[in-house]
Structure formats: structure tokens, C-alpha cells
Amino acid sequence: MASTSILGNSVLRREDDALLRGEGLYVSNRKLDDPLHLFFVRSTVARARITELDVSEAKSMPGVFDVWTFADLNADPLAPNPPFFPAETARPLLADGVVRFVGEPIAMILARSIYRAADAAETVIVDYDFEEAVVEMAAAADGDPIFEGIDSNAVFALPADHEPDFGACEVVVEQEIVNQRVAPAPIEPRTASAEVIEGRLHFYASAQGTHPAKDSIMALLDLPAEKVRTIVADVGGGFGAKGGNSPEELLVALVAHRLDRPVAWEETRSENLTNMGHGRAQIQTVKIGGDREGNITAYRLGVLQDSGAYPGIGGVLPIFTQMMLSATYSCRNVGFDSTSVVTNTTPVGAYRGAGRPEATAAFERAIDLFANELDLDPVKVRRKNLLTSEAFPYETPTGRTYDSGDYIAALDMLIAEADYEGLRAEQARRRNANDPKLMGIGVACYVEITAPMGGKDYGEVRLNDDGSILAVTGSTPYGQGHLTAWAQVISERTGVPMDRIEVRFGDTDIVPEGGITGGSRSAQLAGSAMSNASNQLVEAARKLAADQLEAAVDDVIFDTATGMFHVVGTPAVSVDWQSVAGAAASAELEMTFISDLESQDPTFPFGSHLAVVEVDSETGHVTLERIVAVDDAGTLLNPMLAEGQVHGGLAQGASQALFEEVLFDADGNPLTTNFMDYAIPSATELPSFERHIMTTPTHLNELGAKGIGESGTIGSTPAVHNAVIDAVSHLGVRHIDMPCTPQKVWQAIRG
């Protein structure tokens, strides 16, 4: 039986057939029996006390079942997460008499159609006693606390444990950099539904993990595990922001459980842009110093982090920024401090990279500032300071150990493939000719930490009676192609063709444990778990095959190319998987194996990206002409899947540099509530990406794999950002904050 797949091949995604046929199972596709539809009355002000909340007319509207406010819930606020945030900052499921950001849910309409619910929401009367909103991070730290019982809006800090010495530096450059707030904007907004079946709550989520959502529901409703089932099927994008346990989603579960009837909720695009956790939101102060030859000898980064109205993951993003402080460079004289503040804005959460892209953006921007001050080529400055391949494994000044890498080779490949010297020559030609179409070239080197918290993922492999394989994974895919990749891993280990391997996920009745799929953890944790469980299956099968071959186990070998067991030297007499399955059934043996693999060590993919832009000096308009990317994520399980991940990352990274920014006015009103005001790119704004692959396997797992889900985002943002500034640097422009919109670029040129 020949294998139909070899690990490392570009195998088409098996997930796509149903999606292309319109047979995907998203939450909104599920048919519930006469569900109640939820619609939330949301705050229209950023900070106020509610003096009146009149829902009487809404309750009498046609089709309305009921209207609930905080008083109707009888539910505790969501405990601060992480738990070291002040208890006073706990978030209520519905506003408890105080609103802290525009969009915060105040009341909940329960109606027999979403249209009736929306109409009823218009009749709810809310009167406010207004208070001055705290919107800007810089003002928040010293401003009036937005929570009673705490002394300051600063809710978390990482004080400097080392102050780098700049005394010996011949050149020192400082710059404040805004790493702006962005919205994840998945194609499928947040949505959830729930129903009670035979006394058990079934919760259907568009989420990045089933068990975290289940755990939150159990805690909220005080239910035992056997009374809650969480199911995730198809998900239309997550990017770190879909935990499945937002207040709105938890209220779906609460209403279904309390009323014992089906409930559904789906937010609008405007609700999504103003309520789903935002990302980034840092003000960075970089200081970099060195000698006149371009050697970097000191670096410092200070971070002011916006947590939004309720601190959560957003408040601890600086932990991950600090983790990757020294980036790809050899300078050890580094320092870091951060302060996270709460403001009257949408809460900030995880977004593709979650704190790590911010570290790369700061250092890569600082290097260009440093090179410009010295009038040196920024690529040569990078190459001079990159860690060498002999340095690995390398312990960073912040205590992380980079497993493997060749950063100089990645940069050298990049400049060769992009024809860097030719690009600089063309740039010089345009400048000498006073061409109004200015050319900019930006480079960024990056290293990323994947599976930063270590741990494990659930992996189970079961031999069916007919010799096919059923696998169960704790990972929750939402576009990555896990079902294809894990089948490839199993096929590689067992020789069973992919079309005889079924991979299941996303149901807590099937998957006994699992975490959030995020942090680019899946290949090295879930993929390795599948490999480990498959190896256990092969070893158990070898013993059964030895009995059938009447040979000692040590004399039996397994040929993965054919999927056959045979005695050494006599391949003509062999045993296949169906025979093994039959022998197991006769002996009443359960051929199910669960991975016991656990990793405490993250991996560190790396690469170099180059961007070429054209800037119209008369209008400030920026056109992204090229992105060249060299990425190394160790052994690629499926290069086509990896390419898809990088393509999406490059698009999101470039978009932050050029287009995306969540904005509020001085009163905390959101100004970017739809795709007319919040700019995301279409294919017409992006070039065809030029990708080149390096492979430096890690020794930390048997697959040699590192994560790749966030790499594209991390390298592309500073590359494009640097390219725009490079285009106008000869005019005296030193820095432009992202996004590099035509208005900002034009003002910088005129300034």
C-alpha cells in the first residue's frame, strides 16, 4: 500500500472542498429550533454613570421575549485575567451602572428575530451623568482613575532591571514611535449560539479553542464539566482575538441555560470594529547608541501600553515585547521598562504576534534611525550587528534561548534575491533626476518566538478495524490547514494514505483537553503530538505483526513507504495495517494511543523582509511595489500551507504600515466604525509577494518544525514602514508614525 503523502510536500488542503461548495458549518449556519436572538443596547458615551435605564417600551415591542439589564443577570463580573490586575477592574457582563467605553453592553434584547430585537433596542432610554473620558495613554497614567478604589490608571508595570550604559557611545539616537491601535477585522465577526439538549448546555462558538470557552462557561454558570459541551467547526478568521469567552458570548450561554431554549447572537461589522479586542496600541521610546562604524553597543526601549477600558491580555503585551527585546542582534547592553494603563476605549487584546511584532518594529526602526544618523547603509549596519550562526543556541539578555538560526544567511539571501544594489542605483538615479516619484527601500530582520509558553497539545491516533486511522487533535484550526497537515504527519509515520486518515477536532465530547490555538504553536506542539501518538501506534503494531510473521519483534521492520511490516531481509512476506487491525480485534486490544509529549521550550523562526515603495512627492500617496520575504520556520510540514500563512501575514503587516488605525476623538467616540473609515487593503493595494525559503530545523521536536503563523506580520510591518521613510529621507524627513497615510507623508515632506 503506497503512501499518498510525504511530509514536506505541498498537498492541497482537504478542508477546502466543503468550503468551496458552500457546505461549511459556521455558527450562523447552524439551524436551531425557534431560537431567541440577542441584540445588545450599547453605551453611546465613553465614561458616565447611568442615571436612568428605561426598557419598558422595548419589552412591549412585537416579537420581544424580554429585556435584561445588569440587575437581571445575578452573575458575577468576569475575574481579572491575568489575576494580578486590581480586583476593581473586573468587567461586568452588562454595565453595572457605570460605562467605561463606547460600545459597552448596557442591556440585552431577547427577541424572536434579530430585526425585532434591533427595533426594540432603539426604544431603550438611557440617561447619563457624564464624566471626562480618559482617552490618551500619556494622560491616563497621571489622570483621574476610571475605576473607583484604585489610585492610578497604571495597572501593570515592568520596571527596568538594567539601565544600559550609553556613556561610551559615539552616537546616540532617540525617537518616540507610535505602534498604533489596530482592529483584527476577521471576515466573520464574533458569533455564538447555544441550546440545551437532554439537560446539557451545547455551546457553538467561533473561537480559537473549545476548552477555554467551556471552562469560562462552567465557571460563570457553576456547572460541572459533564453538563457543558462546546463545539467549534468552521471559523472565519481569528488572528488571536477570538477566545470565545467575551461577555456577549458568555451571555448567550447564560440565557440558553437559564431559559432552557436556543439562543443565537451575531455582531454587526460596526459592533465588531468597536467591541472586539483591538491590538498593538503602544507608544514606544527607543534609544540606540554605538560607534561611528555602525557597531550597536547600547539599546533601550520604553513602552506605554494601552489596555483599553478593562485590562486583560492587552495589559500584559509588554511581557512579550520585553521577551524579544534584543531581536536578531548581538548587543547585550539593553534595557526595558513598560507601564500599562486603562483608558476609556475598547479593551485591547491579542492580535497576530501579540507583543512580539512590537519589539521587532521598535528595533528595526531604531536601526534605520541609527544608520541614517551615521550616513551608513542600513543593510550594512544590520549585517555588522546580527548574531552569527556560531552563536546558537544563544541566550538573550532577557533570558530566552534561541534554538537555531542563521540570520546573516537570511539577510544575504534577501539582498541577493531582491537585487538590493540595483534598487539603490535606481533610487539614486531618480533622486538625481528630481523625479517626483520617489523610491524607498526598507529592510527588516526578525526573530519570532513561537509557542512562547511551552506546554503540550492533545494528540490521539486510533487504528480502525479496517486499517484506516482516526485521529483527534486538541488544536482548533481557523484557516491554518491543520486537518491536512496532521494527516500528512500521520501518513508519514504510518504509511497509511491520507485518504484513509480522518482528523477530528473542535468538540469537547471528542477532544478531552486542549488550549487556545495561538502563538504559532500548532506545528511544534499539536503536530509533534500527532507524530508521537503515531509512533506509539507503529510500535504496538510491530508486536502484533511479529506474532503474525512468527518472528521476534526486534527482527521486524516497518517500511513507511509501503505501510508494511516484514522480517529483515524478507520483504516478500509482509503484514499490512488491515491485518494488524484484525489481529488487534481478535485479541480485544484497544489500538488507541495518546501523546505524552510535552515541551517547555519555544522555538524561534526568523527571516528578513524587504519592501520597495513609490511615494508621490506631490500628493504623499504611497504605492507598495514589492515585498521580498526570506522566512525560516525550520522543517515545513506543508510548504503550500506555510505560504498561505506568510501571504496573509505579509498583507496584515503591510496594512498596518500603510492603512490601518483605530481612532477615537477626545471624548472617546470611535471614528473608525466601518470599512469606509477603517481602511483594510484589497488585492489591488498589494503586489505579488516574492518568497524565498530557508530551512534551519530545530532540535526541540522530532519534526524539526517551528511556527510560521505570525512571521509574515512581524517582518513586513517595519520593512514597509522603513521603506516609506527611506523614500523621503533625503528631504530631511527623519520619522513618520504609522500608518504612513498620504496626509502624513505629504505633511512630512512639506515640513
Side-chain angles (χ1 to χ4, degrees), residues 25 135 176 199 259 265 340 442 677 716:
L25 185 55
V135 180
E176 182 178 280
L259 299 181
W265 169 71
S340 299
D677 300 317
S716 59

Side-chain angles (χ1 to χ4, degrees), residues 466-712:
D466 63 354
S468 63
I469 289 178
L470 173 65
V472 178
T473 178
S475 67
T476 304
Y478 42 98
Q480 296 92 334
H482 289 177
L483 305 191
T484 302
W486 303 168
Q488 285 183 261
V489 171
I490 297 165
S491 181
E492 172 73 12
R493 296 294 183 254
T494 65
V496 175
M498 282 184 64
D499 59 7
R500 289 180 58 77
I501 300 171
E502 179 186 359
V503 182
R504 293 182 183 174
F505 75 98
D507 185 339
T508 55
D509 274 10
I510 297 173
V511 188
E513 60 183 83
I516 285 287
T517 295
S520 299
R521 57 178 269 153
S522 296
Q524 63 214 61
L525 296 184
S528 293
M530 283 300 170
S531 177
N532 179 264
S534 298
N535 290 338
Q536 292 181 50
L537 171 62
V538 170
E539 287 308 305
R542 190 194 310 275
K543 296 175 183 177
L544 291 172
D547 291 340
Q548 292 179 285
L549 293 167
E550 299 181 346
V553 174
D554 291 343
D555 292 335
V556 174
I557 66 171
F558 175 61
D559 185 349
T560 56
T562 62
M564 297 287 190
F565 299 87
H566 63 80
V567 177
V568 176
T570 57
V573 180
S574 58
V575 173
D576 63 14
W577 280 105
Q578 189 166 356
S579 297
V580 169
S586 298
E588 298 184 348
L589 292 176
E590 179 66 42
M591 296 294 281
T592 299
F593 299 90
I594 299 171
S595 171
D596 56 5
L597 195 67
E598 185 164 1
S599 173
Q600 299 301 327
D601 298 307
T603 63
F604 294 85
F606 62 94
S608 294
H609 291 178
L610 180 145
V612 180
V613 301
E614 183 178 88
V615 174
D616 187 329
S617 61
E618 297 174 349
T619 66
H621 179 74
V622 179
T623 302
L624 181 58
E625 299 285 347
R626 291 178 70 188
I627 288 185
V628 187
V630 174
D631 300 297
D632 191 321
T635 303
L636 299 181
L637 307 185
N638 182 323
M640 187 189 71
L641 297 179
E643 183 169 12
Q645 288 285 287
V646 172
H647 276 202
L650 293 173
Q652 284 185 291
S655 186
Q656 183 184 1
L658 296 178
F659 308 116
E660 295 187 47
E661 184 175 24
V662 173
L663 294 171
F664 299 89
D665 69 13
D667 295 320
N669 297 305
L671 304 177
T672 46
T673 61
N674 54 55
F675 285 153
M676 291 295 291
D677 300 317
Y678 186 82
I680 60 171
S682 68
T684 58
E685 281 82 39
L686 299 170
S688 295
F689 302 131
E690 304 167 47
R691 287 198 60 239
H692 305 279
I693 299 171
M694 277 182 54
T695 303
T696 308
T698 181
H699 62 279
L700 296 175
N701 61 69
E702 63 178 75
L703 297 174
K706 307 180 182 184
I708 201 168
E710 293 155 313
S711 295

Side-chain angles (χ1 to χ4, degrees), residues 368 382 414 420 424 440-444 609-613 718-724 726:
D368 266 34
R382 284 176 170 82
L414 178 77
Y420 181 74
R424 285 297 181 197
I441 306 150
V443 172
H609 291 178
L610 180 145
V612 180
V613 301
V720 176
H721 190 198
N722 283 337
V724 175
D726 177 69

